[in-house]
């Protein structure tokens, strides 16, 4: 565990930008802040406790994926509806959304045009427990999406 100290004076945006950049690039454990009165202006001192890169659990997070860029417009529309459904399910269960399905898993469902519980089982990271818990809620949307793609392919082939 390591500590980093930042002092931010009023109207000093550069120090605040450095603080925000540091916070977004580290595995932050705790942030304490104190208002201090200096010789000139008051300032806020931030003491950041973090795990440096290289310490177990302190590796930088992978960059966020912009699924608007990764998916076609039609795929993104289905992905968005699945995210909304995931939020509803998570709220009903009182759980974080990522415990239902991750964004990457939802995108894989859409890209793979999953139609069945077996298709869900074939996706990395999705085990039998989540298939049993959530297939009934998610498969109707996925089946409709997959069927839509099949009918479009038949029309183009005709």
């Amino acid at each position: 565990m390591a500590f980093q100290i930042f002092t931010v004076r009023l109207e000093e945006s550069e120090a605040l930008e450095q603080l925000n950049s540091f916070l977004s690039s580290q595995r932050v454990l705790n942030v304490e802040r104190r208002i201090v009165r200096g010789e000139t202006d008051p300032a806020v001192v931030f003491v950041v406790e973090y795990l440096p890169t290289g310490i177990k659990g302190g590796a930088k997070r992978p960059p966020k994926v912009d699924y608007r860029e990764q998916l076609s417009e039609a795929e993104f529309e289905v992905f968005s509806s699945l995210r909304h459904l995931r939020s509803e399910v998570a709220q009903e269960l009182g759980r974080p959304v990522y415990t239902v399905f991750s964004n990457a898993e939802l995108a894989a469902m859409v890209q793979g045009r999953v139609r069945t519980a077996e298709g869900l089982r074939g996706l990395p990271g999705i085990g039998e427990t989540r298939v049993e818990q959530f297939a009934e809620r998610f498969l109707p949307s996925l089946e409709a999406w997959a069927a839509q793609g099949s009918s479009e392919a038949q029309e183009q082939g005709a």
Side-chain angles (χ1 to χ4, degrees), residues 36-151:
V36 294
R37 295 192 187 268
E39 292 179 16
T40 55
D41 296 332
V44 180
V45 175
F46 295 89
V47 178
V48 181
E49 182 180 357
Y50 68 100
L51 287 175
T53 303
I55 294 178
K56 185 176 180 181
K60 291 184 181 180
R61 292 181 180 149
K64 290 190 178 189
V65 176
D66 184 353
Y67 287 100
R68 283 189 189 275
E69 293 177 5
Q70 298 287 323
L71 303 171
S72 71
E73 188 175 323
E75 288 173 333
F76 187 78
E77 187 175 318
V78 176
F79 172 78
S80 293
S81 70
L82 292 176
R83 285 183 62 192
H84 180 73
L85 176 59
R86 175 186 66 180
S87 293
E88 289 176 0
V89 170
Q91 187 173 16
E92 288 170 13
L93 298 173
R95 295 169 51 176
V97 292
Y98 61 84
T99 64
V100 177
F101 291 118
S102 69
N103 284 342
E105 291 164 345
L106 294 177
M109 290 176 202
V110 172
Q111 289 174 316
R113 294 192 182 268
V114 171
R115 292 179 185 227
T116 63
E118 192 60 38
L120 286 174
R121 285 183 195 94
L123 296 175
I126 298 178
E128 187 61 34
T129 302
R130 288 198 291 160
V131 171
E132 289 174 6
Q133 289 178 326
F134 306 123
E136 187 176 294
R137 294 286 300 269
F138 284 81
L139 284 178
S141 297
L142 290 166
E143 289 169 357
W145 161 243
Q148 177 187 2
S150 296
S151 65

Side-chain angles (χ1 to χ4, degrees), residues 16-28:
L16 194 54
E17 288 174 20
Q18 289 174 349
L19 171 64
N20 287 329
S21 176
F22 181 83
L23 292 173
S24 66
S25 69
Q26 298 296 326
R27 174 102 186 244
V28 176

